[in-house]
Amino acid sequence: MKFVTKIAIAALIAAGTATAAGAMMLPQDRDPAYAAARAAGQVGEQPDGYLGIVGEPTPALRALVSNINIRRKTLYTQGATDEGSTVEQFAFVTGCRLILATEPGEKYKTPDGRWLTRDSSAPVRDARCISAGQ
C-alpha cells in the first residue's frame, strides 16, 4: 500500500478514536514549564508529531522537550498498535493535527524546515495532511 494511502487511512482511523491528537491527553498537558516555553516561542510543533526546540537550547529546555517526546512516543506506539499502523504514521497524523491546533503566536515547523509563528491564517502543513474538512 502506498505511504500516502496509509497516512490517509491512519488519519481516518485516528479521527474516530479517543487516541487522536485532538482528544488524547498529550504529555505536555497541564505542564507549566511547557506552557511557559511555548508562550515564549522556545518550543514548537513539528510535522513528525514531536516537539522541537526553536533557537538556542538550554539544558532545561532540552530535558523538557526530551521528556515530552519520550512520553509522546509511548502514546504514539500504543495508538499505532491499537490502530494497526506504524508509529511513524501515527506520529505524522498527530503532527498534522497538532500543527493545525496551534494558536496565533505559537511556533511550528513547516515541511521545509522553517520555524514560523502562527498567525490568523491556516498553518503551512505537509501536503499529505488531511484537510480539516475531510
Side-chain angles (χ1 to χ4, degrees), residues 3 7 15 17-19 31-33 40 51 53 62 67 71-72 103-104 121 132:
F3 178 71
I7 293 298
T17 69
T19 58
D31 183 334
L51 194 62
I53 297 174
R62 272 193 204 109
N67 287 335
R71 290 181 281 161
R72 280 188 182 188
E103 297 180 4
S121 63

Side-chain angles (χ1 to χ4, degrees), residues 20-87:
M24 76 176 162
M25 285 299 266
L26 290 173
Q28 70 274 2
D29 292 341
R30 300 189 189 111
D31 183 334
Y34 165 75
R38 189 170 180 137
Q42 296 174 311
V43 297
E45 296 299 340
Q46 301 182 121
D48 64 1
Y50 294 95
L51 194 62
I53 297 174
V54 180
E56 191 65 35
T58 64
L61 198 54
R62 272 193 204 109
L64 172 72
V65 169
S66 178
N67 287 335
I68 288 171
N69 285 339
I70 287 168
R71 290 181 281 161
R72 280 188 182 188
K73 184 160 188 176
T74 299
L75 289 173
Y76 296 163
T77 300
Q78 182 61 52
T81 299
D82 293 347
E83 303 301 340
S85 67
T86 68
V87 174

Side-chain angles (χ1 to χ4, degrees), residues 55-56 77 90 113 120 125:
E56 191 65 35
T77 300
F90 196 88
S120 60
R125 298 189 306 155

Side-chain angles (χ1 to χ4, degrees), residues 1-14 21 47-50 73 76-77 79-81 83-97 128-130:
M1 192 178 310
K2 288 184 179 179
F3 178 71
V4 175
T5 303
K6 288 181 180 180
I7 293 298
I9 291 169
L12 292 173
I13 291 169
D48 64 1
Y50 294 95
K73 184 160 188 176
Y76 296 163
T77 300
T81 299
E83 303 301 340
S85 67
T86 68
V87 174
E88 292 77 16
Q89 289 168 334
F90 196 88
F92 175 82
V93 171
T94 304
C96 290
R97 291 172 157 261
R128 296 170 293 168
C129 292
I130 303 297

